Amino acid sequence: MTSCAAPRADRSATGTSMRRGSCPSLAAPMQTGDGLLVRLRPAGDGLTPAEMRAIAGAAARCGSGVIEVTARGNLQIRGLTPESVPALAEAIGAAEIAIAEGVAIETPPLAGFDPDEIADPRPLARALRVAISGAGEALRLAPKLSIVVDGGGRFHLGSLTADLRVSALEHEGGVRWLFSLGGTARSAKPVALLESKDIVPMVLEILGDLTARGPASRARELDADLLRQRAAAGDALPRVDGPVFSPPPAGIHHFGGAGTVLGIGLAFAQTDAGSLVAFLRQAEELGANEIRLAPPHGLFVLGLSGETAAVAQRLASAHGFLVASGDPRNHIATCAGLACASARMDTKAMARLLLEAAPDLLDGSATVHLSGCPKGCASPTASPLTLVGAPSGYALVVNGTASVAPSAYRDENGIGSAFGALNALVRENKDAGESALSCLTRLGTARIAAAFEQG
């Protein structure tokens, strides 16, 4: 077993200057309120239960034991120190777990498994990784630049924002790929409809344009009309059909002859290493053979039968995981809260208060975003309701992100009453069969703000 009593790490060698604005990694962890943070992207499709246990065990030995799955489906380990990061890296290496580096190229969590996907995006994603890696120093890109390659399916990535988006479409009896710039599947600007062989050259060309503009440039800054002209694209480019949001991972999901998948969610995006290890041991005994990280904040367990998935689901619930799509905790997005040095709110405690005081808001029609500061790490896109920690209490943003001007304020002592007032506003004004989101939209910002401030 790897010990975390490692010699003091050389900060210059391990990159522990801990600069914000880049993605934290084993080579360059990020300083937060509870120590150093490392984010891991497994290089393969998934991890075996043994590999996942090895990571969790190392997180307990080398850090605080708090493990997170991010909104984008990456793994985070908290509470590390400059002395323990090298030992964490050693433990991951000893378990022969390959960690992805470089530009984030993201595919749906069940890519290659889901029979409903239009096309398997993994070969195209691999070709992009090889090409970008081969370009080496010729490409100097923003640290958080991301590329989504989405083959569709039940758990697609339509709600994730990305610099470059490549989405499979059924077209004239075959498959073509819609290449778009910036945003989600709904907000991205379409550029061209391409054959798979044309995607890599197009992406390299765009990345070259971004390099020429400077290492902080993002794809949203590019002129989509000029790129359409360069690609000789037609005027009427299609858009991705279907819902932008995929269902939460939690639940038992049947895929016909492909098999059954158990999805579990991490309550408020976190779990502890002990609970995760215990559940993984039990799931492996029931036949689980692969774990896939899933946005937002979840895991998929593969290899189970319908019967054993039901048993594993009960075990996961006993360990505190979310196991059903109807669990209201699925509909609260929280950042790390006081574990982050920037936070002015204990988001986990606030989430528990919200569950108690405002259950009518959490009917599944909308996500309530609780953000410790205006950076809004847990939800970069607009939410119907966002509560932001502020120096004088709490700010409420209606239909916006954590960084925009608030609609209302409430001091710390009145936040419970404010939640209760919002709950009453929905309960007393919702028509039969109407969702909380529809009701809030109909009532409008002014009435929501007044209830929050005066309740």
Side-chain angles (χ1 to χ4, degrees):
M1 180 178 293
T2 303
S3 169
C4 279
R8 176 170 294 275
D10 180 348
R11 287 176 178 251
S12 62
T14 60
T16 49
S17 58
M18 290 131 334
R19 177 176 60 85
R20 284 192 177 272
S22 60
C23 294
S25 65
L26 283 168
M30 184 176 72
Q31 182 68 58
T32 65
D34 61 345
L36 300 185
L37 169 71
V38 162
R39 184 176 301 153
L40 305 174
R41 287 187 290 121
D45 296 333
L47 298 163
T48 67
E51 289 172 335
M52 195 72 175
R53 288 201 309 272
I55 293 175
R61 296 192 304 274
C62 301
S64 63
V66 173
I67 296 173
E68 298 172 327
V69 177
T70 70
R72 302 187 76 92
N74 294 315
L75 197 64
Q76 290 190 162
I77 297 174
R78 306 194 70 93
L80 300 161
T81 67
E83 293 82 6
S84 68
V85 170
L88 174 66
E90 182 183 346
I92 291 172
E96 299 183 344
I97 300 170
I99 301 299
E101 299 178 348
V103 174
I105 301 176
E106 300 165 304
T107 57
L110 295 179
F113 176 89
D114 185 350
D116 295 330
E117 64 185 357
I118 298 170
D120 185 346
R122 297 174 300 169
L124 183 51
R126 284 193 292 267
L128 285 169
R129 290 188 185 99
V130 170
I132 293 171
S133 177
E137 293 297 319
L139 297 176
R140 298 180 64 82
L141 305 168
K144 292 190 175 182
L145 184 140
S146 66
I147 302 172
V148 161
V149 185
D150 196 343
R154 195 180 306 180
F155 295 95
H156 55 80
L157 300 182
S159 62
L160 287 193
T161 58
D163 287 83
L164 306 180
R165 177 174 291 277
V166 184
S167 303
L169 295 177
E170 294 176 344
H171 182 76
E172 296 180 352
V175 175
R176 302 284 287 277
W177 297 86
L178 180 63
F179 181 83
S180 307
L181 291 182
T184 65
R186 179 171 293 168
S187 64
K189 300 173 183 176
V191 171
L193 192 62
L194 302 171
E195 301 281 356
S196 58
K197 64 181 177 59
D198 299 319
I199 294 295
V200 172
M202 171 67 82
V203 169
L204 289 179
E205 187 175 350
I206 301 301
L207 296 182
D209 291 344
L210 291 173
T211 297
R213 294 171 66 94
S217 297
R218 306 298 292 269
R220 60 179 176 267
E221 302 164 12
L222 299 176
D223 189 324
D225 291 331
L226 290 176
L227 292 175
R228 288 188 201 104
Q229 294 173 17
R230 190 194 299 175
D235 293 331
L237 287 171
R239 287 189 175 272
V240 177
D241 293 327
V244 171
F245 295 97
S246 62
I252 296 176
H253 310 287
H254 302 287
F255 290 90
T260 298
V261 174
L262 171 64
I264 64 173
L266 275 60
F268 314 135
Q270 291 184 341
T271 187
D272 64 275
S275 296
L276 182 58
V277 167
F279 168 70
L280 290 170
R281 288 191 185 281
Q282 294 169 329
E284 190 171 22
E285 291 174 357
L286 292 168
N289 56 22
E290 186 178 4
I291 308 296
R292 295 199 184 184
L293 303 173
H297 316 299
L299 305 170
F300 284 128
V301 183
L302 281 66
L304 300 170
S305 67
E307 181 178 342
T308 58
V311 176
Q313 185 182 47
R314 292 193 292 272
L315 294 169
S317 179
H319 289 295
F321 294 102
L322 311 184
V323 299
S325 60
D327 192 313
R329 292 175 294 175
N330 284 308
H331 311 298
I332 303 175
T334 68
C335 65
L338 296 182
C340 174
S342 301
R344 296 180 179 274
M345 173 169 59
D346 184 343
T347 56
K348 313 306 179 185
M350 193 63 66
R352 291 188 287 271
L353 178 60
L354 179 65
L355 285 166
E356 179 182 345
D360 290 279
L361 297 179
L362 304 172
D363 64 354
S365 62
T367 295
V368 179
H369 178 197
L370 305 179
S371 185
C373 76
K375 288 183 296 187
C377 297
S379 181
T381 56
S383 297
L385 296 176
T386 298
L387 188 73
V388 186
S392 57
Y394 305 104
L396 180 70
V397 177
V398 180
N399 294 323
T401 65
S403 62
V404 305
S407 307
Y409 286 94
R410 195 64 186 256
D411 62 32
E412 183 174 357
N413 294 330
I415 191 62
S417 298
F419 282 161
L422 290 178
N423 191 72
L425 182 70
V426 169
R427 186 181 62 246
E428 294 168 5
N429 290 279
K430 188 169 65 172
D431 294 333
E434 187 178 24
S435 69
L437 176 59
S438 177
C439 179
L440 290 170
T441 302
R442 176 169 52 81
L443 292 173
T445 299
R447 290 192 66 181
I448 296 170
F452 183 79
E453 289 187 332
Q454 299 168 16

